[in-house]
Amino acid sequence: MGISRRQFVGGAVGVGVAATTTGFTPSRPAPAHPAPTRTAALWREYADAPYTHPQIPYVGRAGARRGATRLGRPPVVANVLTYGAVPDGSADSAAAINRALAEAGERGGGTVLVPPGTYRIDDFLHIGHSDVVLRGAGSGRTKLIATKNLTELIGAYGSRYGGDKSSWSWAGGLIWLAPKARHASLVAAIRAKAWPFEGWTGNKRDEWETLTTVRPARRGDWTITVDDPSAVRRGQVVLLRLADDAGHTLLEHMAGGGAGPESYHWDDKTKLTSYVPHEWPVRVVSVRGRKVTLERPLPLDVRPEWDPRLTTLAEPLTGSGVEGLTLEAVETPQSAHLLDKGYNGVTFQCAYDCWAEDIVVRHVDNGFGLVAASACTLRRTRVEGRGSHHPYFCREGAHDNLIEDFRIAARTVPAPAGTQLHGINVEGLSSYNVWSRGVMEMGTFDTHRGMPFANVRTEITVENNGRHGGDASAGPLYGARFTHWNVTVTNGRAGLVKIDTIAPYSATVGISEVTEFDQIDVPDFTGELHARVEAYGTPGTVRPRNLYEAQREFRR
């Protein structure tokens, strides 16, 4: 953590210069004489306070194993062919693959190989044990053909907030990584039509126990003081729990504080207030007396009025992943908005330090999901085919995740009437997530309200043709410290990319010149937003080119 300001600024500029751009060709030609590159003034300022800057969050440890470039490769313990999987697509292989995954987990973990071929799956695949990896031979060589959706396989899934919506529009996956017991309780609740909460502390959010209370601390602190360290141990994943008070000062703090959040009417935002107490999973690095050091700095202040404590959580799925395959659903027309049947791709739920790499999903309702998942990495992932509702969704208090080298391909068929396209979605008080080095041939920078805060989108090219959603009861579009850094918009539409007029304490740096279109947003908070904008109209010229990589390089 000991980095000089000169090292932090100077070296990060080098990282930006060395970074490469994506291969997506913009719809408008590049200028004949591009503007000279320059180090952003905001970056130089950020270097003075990297963990506590008012507009830019510290995300240098986002992703599995604190953003490791190489993730775990457990030894091979099974080959799905020996369990009866058929690589020519002629028979259902889901049962065989699930048996291999379950037995690998029961034996303590390992890699389950799916050799080259095409495998029909008539059920969803579930990774429910830690340290289990499902590995194909590469996304161009191993293909899974999913014949059924989650409504057929599990049942209709209504919304806990009422209405006729299908929760398969934002939950579950045909490859579903979630702890075995937690997943079983979710499926049982859905089948009983007792629509559950989906996070770390159970279907009713009451399955937790206090480990210890926590003394006051500040955002950016790496070490906290606890009252009783006896139940806390090195390497443990714990939940920092912060409850809101009657004056909603915790929500105000997430929005950056000040006159605007203080005058905002929070009480009728029933969906938003259902997301608190706020729950942040984190791994313990060391315990020395009453001092507990965490692997990431605190995302928020810790104040007595919020009853701060470390608690238990569902036993997390850790060290598990899915690699090197294509998941293709049978091609069906996209469902009307919010009535998805559940042809969903890969979803992580109550997972920590897990990953997906070299994965393509095709013809899906929803592509890659992070649901109450933290410290996970999605690398070299792609959504393609007939068009998706949410190509990427990040919700229900998902934190510290990394999505890099991602691509949303242009849809292969026209969108049916009554459908909607979002994009890279984040909502539900999710925070400190990163989308890096992406190409979006369609979609938008979606927030579904629920006041996500302190998220970063950097070095992305987008044909900005999607729309955002979100129920009014979910509250603000943005909390504090949302940052968009080096974003090329190929069709000139603003649409939640230029956020300095709507997001409090935010940074918009190095984006294309854009204009409003028919979906015009107004700020949720009155008064001065304390938002910053720099290098407007000149993407590609700002240094560092990639905000996440610059922070990651100099966290050492």
Side-chain angles (χ1 to χ4, degrees), residues 332-351:
T332 58
Q334 186 177 346
S335 298
H337 190 223
L338 299 177
L339 298 178
D340 295 350
K341 295 179 175 64
Y343 287 110
N344 296 345
V346 181
T347 290
F348 295 81
Q349 189 160 5
C350 298

Side-chain angles (χ1 to χ4, degrees), residues 143-499:
K143 180 188 291 187
L144 309 179
I145 301 292
T147 62
K148 296 181 180 180
N149 57 58
L150 293 169
T151 301
E152 295 174 279
L153 297 170
I154 296 176
Y157 187 3
S159 170
R160 67 177 184 256
Y161 300 106
D164 61 354
K165 305 178 183 70
S166 167
S167 285
W168 299 127
S169 300
W170 55 76
L174 292 168
I175 300 178
W176 199 336
L177 295 91
K180 181 180 178 181
R182 184 73 186 97
H183 184 266
S185 71
L186 287 164
V187 170
I190 294 166
R191 286 177 169 156
K193 301 189 184 304
W195 314 132
F197 284 92
E198 300 154 281
W200 287 100
T201 51
N203 295 343
K204 296 182 180 180
R205 294 196 70 182
D206 59 356
E207 298 174 20
W208 57 274
E209 297 178 3
T210 298
L211 298 172
T212 181
T213 51
V214 180
R215 296 292 178 90
R218 300 299 300 273
R219 174 172 66 90
D221 288 349
W222 296 75
T223 298
I224 56 176
T225 302
V226 301
D227 289 320
D228 179 5
S230 62
V232 183
R233 66 183 187 277
R234 180 178 180 271
Q236 181 182 13
V237 178
V238 297
L239 206 62
L240 174 64
R241 185 180 191 270
L242 301 175
D244 205 5
D245 58 12
H248 297 297
T249 59
L250 175 61
L251 292 174
E252 291 172 3
H253 177 56
M254 293 173 177
E262 288 172 6
S263 63
Y264 185 79
H265 189 66
W266 301 96
D267 286 330
D268 63 346
K269 308 304 186 295
T270 53
K271 189 171 183 179
L272 175 66
T273 53
S274 76
Y275 296 139
V276 288
H278 187 59
E279 297 168 341
W280 181 60
V282 66
R283 193 180 296 279
V284 174
V285 172
S286 68
V287 181
R288 296 178 180 174
R290 294 193 297 116
K291 300 292 185 181
V292 176
T293 300
L294 310 173
E295 69 175 347
R296 292 176 175 85
L298 287 177
L300 296 163
D301 288 354
V302 173
R303 301 178 186 173
E305 57 265 36
W306 301 332
D307 188 24
R309 55 186 68 207
L310 298 183
T311 76
T312 60
L313 69 170
E315 183 177 350
L317 186 76
T318 61
S320 294
V322 55
E323 304 172 343
L325 58 83
T326 290
L327 172 64
E328 181 175 312
V330 293
E331 186 170 358
T332 58
Q334 186 177 346
S335 298
H337 190 223
L338 299 177
L339 298 178
D340 295 350
K341 295 179 175 64
Y343 287 110
N344 296 345
V346 181
T347 290
F348 295 81
Q349 189 160 5
C350 298
Y352 193 99
D353 278 345
C354 293
W355 68 90
E357 187 165 7
D358 183 26
I359 302 293
V360 175
V361 296
R362 186 177 296 130
H363 304 320
V364 293
D365 294 336
N366 302 281
F368 292 89
L370 296 159
V371 182
S374 292
C376 294
T377 293
L378 309 183
R379 181 174 291 140
R380 294 192 295 127
T381 57
R382 180 181 176 110
V383 181
E384 59 185 37
R386 51 88 155 152
S388 301
H389 179 196
H390 296 100
Y392 291 84
F393 57 98
C394 180
R395 51 179 293 273
E396 203 77 12
H399 312 293
D400 304 303
N401 298 294
L402 170 64
I403 302 94
E404 67 178 355
D405 297 312
F406 67 95
R407 192 178 193 104
I408 302 173
R411 64 190 319 137
T412 54
V413 296
T419 62
Q420 280 202 22
L421 164 67
H422 298 308
I424 50 176
N425 157 264
V426 60
E427 58 182 285
L429 298 182
S430 296
S431 67
Y432 294 84
N433 301 290
V434 178
W435 292 261
S436 172
R437 294 200 310 265
V439 176
M440 300 171 62
E441 297 175 16
M442 64 177 191
T444 193
F445 286 10
D446 177 38
T447 162
H448 266 34
R449 299 193 173 273
M451 203 169 70
F453 64 95
N455 296 281
V456 168
R457 291 152 169 164
T458 182
E459 199 178 354
I460 297 171
T461 298
V462 54
E463 179 78 6
N464 191 14
N465 57 8
R467 304 174 74 87
H468 74 78
D471 192 292
S473 68
L477 285 165
Y478 298 98
R481 297 182 304 287
F482 229 100
T483 300
H484 290 169
W485 189 287
N486 189 16
V487 178
T488 299
V489 182
T490 58
N491 61 346
R493 281 188 11 171
L496 298 185
V497 176
K498 187 176 185 293
I499 57 174

Side-chain angles (χ1 to χ4, degrees), residues 15-45:
V15 170
V17 171
T20 59
T21 58
T22 59
F24 181 42
T25 302
S27 60
R28 296 186 297 179
H33 301 288
T37 61
R38 61 188 178 90
T39 302
L42 254 172
W43 174 256
R44 294 193 296 268
E45 176 189 296

